[in-house]
Amino acid sequence: MKWVLCFLLALPLLASGHQLSTAYMSLERTDSSVLEGQLQWRLYDLERSLRLDSNRDGKLTWGEIKAREAAIGQFLGERLSVAQGGVTCTLNSASLRKLDRHYAEPYLLLPLQVQCPISGDLTIRYMAFFNQDADHKLLLSVEDGDSAISRVISAQQQEVTIASSDGFWQGFSDYVYQGVVHILIGWDHILFLLCLLLVAVLSRRDHQWQARVAKREIILYTLTIVTAFTLAHSITLTATALGWIDLPSRWVEIGIAATVIFAAVNNIVVLFWRIGWITFGFGLLHGMGFAGVLGELGLPQQGKLTAVVGFNLGVELGQLVIIALLLPVLMLCRNGQWYRRWAMPAGSVLIALLGTRWLLERL
Amino acid sequence: MKAMTRTAKQWLLIAFSLILGVAALPGNAKPYTPSHSDSVVVDWGEPVSTAASLPAQSAADTLRWAARQVVQAKKPGQSFRYALAQQALDELTLAQITGAAERVELWRLRASLAQHSHHFDEAQDNLQQVLALAPDHIEARLMAARIALLSGEVEPAEQHCQKLLGVSDLLTASACLLEVRSVSASAEQAYPALKRLVERSGWPDDARRPWLEQMLASMAERQGKFEEAAQWLSLPVGEQSVSYLSQWAELQLRLDKPRRVMHAISSLEIAPDNLDDVLLLQMALAENMLGEENQWQSRMERRVALREARNDWQHAAHLSRYYLDIDPDAQRALFWARRNIKAAREPYDKELLRRAEQAALTRNQSMDRSGGNRS
């Protein structure tokens, strides 16, 4: 059998293994256009890229490192770039003078000076060693006055932008962005919203769905239910993120799946026609789901509330984008009998099936 | 004279321990400049290029080399070889690989690497490529079933196992199905059936043996039969994978035999900073149980700090366990347990989340009683 080939094959073992490829960079703003600091690269990573051990004896000497100073400088210039206000900064590295150790591994310390022509947001792009180790990460810290910002640069995210604004707004835009991203990739939230929108363009008369005639009425109705949803999930998102309430995530996720099923089924077998309060109740659960994501991102020690507000705002912005894209289409379709009889129920069934799948997966 | 020798030996031992202790200190030591150009700043034991560069001439050579790295990487202290294999595969293009068998191998290896990185969807996509080219590929089916089970997808796991019937031998297909049933139904049902199956078929003399041993041990463990579970796993440790060894160590800890764990893992002679996270965690747990000086617990604390700084969510289960059993912090334990359950949904992961939620609840209740501030 093929898998019998899985016998262990002898390979030479390095005297020291190499579990975590991590680089460290710290920068401190000395004035609005200058940053100073250092980059530390693990010698093992550099050896793999640049072959510093020129006599190939497995022992790296200080002389062998110094001899490749120019190559290391060139490698640095190719793999690290800094821009401020959208304009590329000049990167200077002084001569190699020091080594350091992290977790018993030797590191080369590269002093850095960054000069930027204009002020603005600081963007750091780093792409060293990812081709040889997809798990390589750069731990970056930037000190700017009283604030210190930490970021992780990885193969998946090779560029970070640090806002130039003051401490209160530090990272605010990052959290707004994350909020937008989360609602746009959070299918359970989108489909719940879609369930509400599918029937927002219809009204219930004589036990049948009829198209709402007045656009104003549609917009008002949509505003009502979306506001109920938004208000509710804002409450629980904030309360959960700040640690005031704490429900088991599993039950929250199960509950969210159940809300999707309920909303979809309610479009077909109308149990509740006026669903403002129900939407509010369900929104409370969705808010706890959003808070789970915020928990993963982590909240800054200072400015927790700002981060929560930013994330919440991002979620609302993302939600508005979805509504702005979908509602006009649904308004165009609402008068067609095919929409009321087939498209809306079929869409709802599909969503209910997806919701059921999530529910089973989460149970 | 004899007494003198003994004292000298003791002093030597103390001095040696001090040197080792200082050498093992984390990177908080101050930067330094070597005094001389000839100063050796690092000794890798052998040229890095010997292990890190592939001596391959052709695509087939590269695949063979990468496959050896993946096999070796599963052993303690060798996980850096996953990155070597990944780099070798990244440098290969599909155009270079003409033979169907080589393409199958490429996708299989990619799946293996993705599975190691906990990118389970990517791993399944790669396995689909293998199975599209070679529908009877036994290892790919087993891997697909395992990953589905890890992700809590019982039905797809069962379907993969069923497709092995008539393709693989009965032992392999049945064991695969029983593993799935131990999750979908119960370990109580699947365990005796698997035992009977192995007794009837006899132990295979290949890579399936540790696979079956681990499966039996896991099923016994889930029923609380820790003694019996431990009996399925055999040493010596040097020949086993990290997964096998950590399962053995976990059972020894459950059986209140922390000293055995410390002895076995120490005997691997791997520098503590290069020890795999799970083994380091188990050393720290063992030390904690023994109530001894916190040498391993400090090392684990530093590893946890690094993992958290790197936001290495693939190690979320270890981080959660650390905050539950070594340095209690209910909120952090819960945070990492929740992060872990998003990727891994095996019984162990569910149990970890349950424990973390319980710890957080207890903490909140005690804070409520004392009128403390939760945030």
Side-chain angles (χ1 to χ4, degrees):
Chain A
M1 279 196 305
K2 174 105 182 156
W3 69 315
V4 176
L5 292 173
C6 284
F7 282 124
L8 301 183
L9 298 169
L11 280 176
L13 303 184
L14 283 173
S16 64
H18 306 276
Q19 305 295 340
L20 287 169
S21 177
T22 312
Y24 301 85
M25 187 161 99
S26 57
L27 290 173
E28 187 180 359
R29 189 178 289 286
T30 51
D31 74 43
S32 64
S33 61
V34 180
L35 293 121
E36 286 182 356
Q38 55 175 257
L39 173 65
Q40 294 200 17
W41 270 334
R42 200 167 63 140
L43 288 175
Y44 177 77
D45 293 327
L46 271 175
E47 170 62 21
R48 282 188 63 196
S49 281
L50 297 178
R51 302 279 162 88
L52 306 175
D53 180 17
S54 52
N55 62 1
R56 305 276 191 274
D57 65 350
K59 294 180 178 64
L60 187 65
T61 64
W62 181 232
E64 283 174 320
I65 298 172
K66 293 287 282 181
R68 300 299 306 280
E69 191 164 350
I72 294 169
Q74 189 187 344
F75 187 74
L76 173 72
E78 289 166 359
R79 302 298 196 280
L80 175 70
S81 64
V82 182
Q84 193 164 258
V87 180
T88 306
C89 306
T90 312
L91 196 64
N92 299 307
S93 180
S95 64
L96 308 176
R97 279 195 291 263
K98 284 184 175 167
L99 295 171
D100 202 349
R101 290 186 85 81
H102 292 275
Y103 299 92
E105 290 241 35
Y107 276 70
L108 180 65
L109 193 153
L110 300 159
L112 294 177
Q113 192 192 50
V114 184
Q115 283 192 307
C116 305
I118 60 165
S119 57
D121 292 352
L122 186 71
T123 302
I124 294 164
R125 185 167 173 72
Y126 173 83
M127 42 200 169
F129 310 127
F130 294 131
N131 63 330
Q132 67 189 32
D133 191 340
D135 282 337
H136 174 74
K137 288 185 180 175
L138 171 73
L139 306 188
L140 167 72
S141 76
V142 178
E143 277 185 49
D144 187 353
D146 291 338
S147 71
I149 298 147
S150 299
R151 292 281 187 279
V152 180
I153 295 188
S154 63
Q156 292 75 39
Q157 191 185 4
Q158 300 184 7
E159 187 177 291
V160 294
T161 298
I162 295 166
S164 66
S165 49
D166 66 16
F168 181 75
W169 295 107
Q170 197 67 58
F172 181 75
S173 58
D174 285 354
Y175 283 93
V176 173
Y177 171 75
Q178 290 295 342
V180 173
V181 167
H182 181 65
I183 183 87
L184 294 181
I185 60 166
W187 278 100
D188 41 6
H189 307 299
I190 292 177
L191 291 187
F192 179 75
L193 201 60
L194 181 60
C195 282
L196 302 180
L197 293 178
L198 281 174
V199 292
V201 293
L202 306 175
S203 67
R204 196 81 179 154
R205 265 175 254 142
D206 302 328
H207 303 290
Q208 282 194 328
W209 289 112
Q210 304 288 334
R212 284 183 198 269
V213 182
K215 286 180 186 169
R216 191 169 168 272
E217 192 190 343
I218 294 171
I219 291 166
L220 270 178
Y221 177 80
T222 307
L223 262 178
T224 312
I225 52 164
V226 169
T227 306
F229 184 56
T230 302
L231 196 64
H233 71 62
S234 298
I235 293 169
T236 45
L237 165 60
T238 309
T240 311
L242 296 178
W244 298 337
I245 52 171
D246 188 11
L247 283 188
S249 60
R250 182 166 169 248
W251 292 109
V252 170
E253 294 296 323
I254 289 169
I256 290 172
T259 64
V260 175
I261 300 169
F262 179 88
V265 170
N266 194 52
N267 285 352
I268 308 159
V269 189
V270 182
L271 302 169
F272 299 93
W273 156 229
R274 296 195 178 279
I275 55 168
W277 282 109
I278 292 171
T279 306
F280 182 85
F282 288 176
L284 292 173
L285 263 178
H286 283 251
M288 288 183 234
F290 291 133
V293 177
L294 191 54
E296 279 168 31
L297 288 172
L299 290 172
Q301 283 304 310
Q302 284 157 356
K304 273 187 186 176
L305 194 61
T306 313
V308 174
V309 171
F311 186 81
N312 207 350
L313 186 66
V315 169
E316 308 320 336
L317 285 173
Q319 198 171 281
L320 280 177
V321 169
I322 295 165
I323 294 167
L325 288 172
L326 287 175
L327 197 60
V329 178
L330 296 174
M331 282 167 82
L332 279 175
C333 299
R334 74 187 191 282
N335 289 319
Q337 208 176 24
W338 60 271
Y339 176 75
R340 299 192 300 273
R341 285 204 175 164
W342 302 109
M344 187 278 286
S348 301
V349 168
L350 204 63
I351 294 170
L353 288 173
L354 273 170
T356 309
R357 192 187 148 182
W358 289 328
L359 184 75
L360 294 174
E361 280 175 0
R362 293 168 188 185
L363 274 173
Chain B
M1 186 68 192
K2 225 173 188 179
M4 286 280 286
T5 314
R6 205 161 148 189
T7 314
K9 272 183 182 171
Q10 280 173 346
W11 276 109
L12 268 174
L13 197 66
I14 291 168
F16 185 65
S17 307
L18 271 174
I19 292 165
L20 274 183
V22 170
L25 275 177
N28 301 331
K30 281 190 175 165
Y32 65 100
T33 305
S35 53
H36 202 271
S37 280
D38 293 336
S39 303
V40 174
V41 296
V42 56
D43 183 352
W44 287 301
E46 65 171 349
V48 168
S49 53
T50 306
S53 69
L54 57 153
Q57 300 295 315
S58 64
D61 287 340
T62 304
L63 289 170
R64 269 193 294 277
W65 186 85
R68 285 207 301 275
Q69 300 298 328
V70 170
V71 169
Q72 194 69 18
K74 293 185 169 81
K75 297 190 83 181
Q78 297 293 308
S79 65
F80 68 95
R81 293 189 185 278
Y82 284 114
L84 303 184
Q86 183 76 61
Q87 187 185 9
L89 297 185
D90 286 348
E91 285 167 10
L92 274 182
T93 59
L94 278 179
Q96 286 173 269
I97 302 170
T98 46
E102 287 170 357
R103 285 195 175 214
V104 165
E105 183 64 350
L106 174 69
W107 291 116
R108 182 189 74 82
L109 288 170
R110 283 183 177 171
S112 237
L113 294 171
Q115 182 189 11
H116 166 71
S117 310
H118 292 215
H119 294 133
F120 298 136
D121 289 344
E122 187 189 331
Q124 289 288 27
D125 289 346
N126 290 329
L127 289 171
Q128 285 312 309
Q129 298 281 356
V130 174
L131 294 169
L133 291 165
D136 293 344
H137 198 294
I138 297 165
E139 194 188 346
R141 282 276 174 226
L142 285 171
M143 209 192 294
R146 184 93 269 282
I147 295 170
L149 213 51
L150 260 169
S151 314
E153 294 165 353
V154 176
E155 262 182 49
E158 191 160 17
Q159 283 163 10
H160 282 298
C161 295
Q162 280 165 349
K163 283 180 183 158
L164 283 172
L165 292 167
V167 174
S168 75
D169 61 292
L170 193 64
L171 176 65
T172 307
S174 306
C176 179
L177 276 167
L178 285 169
E179 186 182 26
V180 175
R181 280 177 199 158
S182 77
V183 177
S184 66
S186 72
E188 284 83 352
Q189 282 177 27
Y191 181 57
L194 184 59
K195 269 205 297 192
R196 278 198 302 275
L197 179 71
V198 174
E199 276 163 20
R200 248 197 341 262
S201 312
W203 285 103
D205 193 20
D206 54 35
R208 282 173 300 170
R209 184 169 184 135
W211 174 60
L212 290 165
E213 286 173 346
Q214 282 193 262
M215 204 185 289
L216 282 161
S218 168
M219 288 182 195
E221 186 185 359
R222 273 182 272 153
Q223 297 171 72
K225 298 174 178 174
F226 303 128
E227 280 285 358
E228 199 173 323
Q231 282 165 12
W232 291 115
L233 303 176
S234 55
L235 297 177
V237 295
E239 291 169 16
Q240 309 296 2
S241 66
V242 172
S243 152
Y244 192 101
L245 187 54
S246 66
Q247 192 179 0
W248 173 86
E250 187 63 37
L251 283 165
Q252 297 304 318
L253 293 176
R254 284 198 186 262
L255 292 169
D256 201 19
K257 291 176 179 165
R259 206 164 290 285
R260 286 194 72 184
V261 172
M262 295 201 78
H263 175 73
I265 298 180
S266 300
S267 73
L268 293 168
E269 292 180 355
I270 296 171
D273 284 300
N274 297 326
L275 202 58
D276 304 75
D277 282 33
V278 64
L279 299 181
L280 183 57
L281 171 71
Q282 281 160 336
M283 285 297 267
L285 286 166
E287 190 182 69
N288 185 274
M289 285 171 77
L290 287 167
E292 292 182 350
E293 55 174 323
N294 63 354
Q295 191 187 9
W296 291 97
Q297 290 167 89
S298 300
R299 286 179 180 135
M300 188 61 198
E301 184 186 0
R302 295 199 293 270
R303 184 75 62 90
V304 166
L306 182 59
R307 289 293 186 197
E308 286 188 316
R310 286 170 51 97
N311 196 15
D312 284 338
W313 57 266
Q314 295 90 337
H315 296 265
H318 305 143
L319 300 181
S320 179
R321 185 81 189 277
Y322 173 80
Y323 285 121
L324 278 173
D325 294 329
I326 296 176
D327 181 15
D329 184 333
Q331 287 302 102
R332 285 187 180 188
L334 184 58
F335 170 77
W336 287 112
R338 282 176 175 169
R339 189 66 197 80
N340 178 55
I341 204 79
K342 290 195 174 222
R345 288 162 183 267
E346 289 205 285
Y348 173 83
D349 306 293
K350 290 176 182 167
E351 172 63 13
L352 193 66
L353 179 63
R354 190 199 61 74
R355 283 189 62 206
E357 284 178 342
Q358 185 59 45
L361 196 66
T362 310
R363 171 188 172 271
N364 288 347
Q365 283 169 347
S366 69
M367 292 196 87
D368 284 344
R369 276 197 297 274
S370 62
N373 183 1
R374 243 180 257 172
S375 62

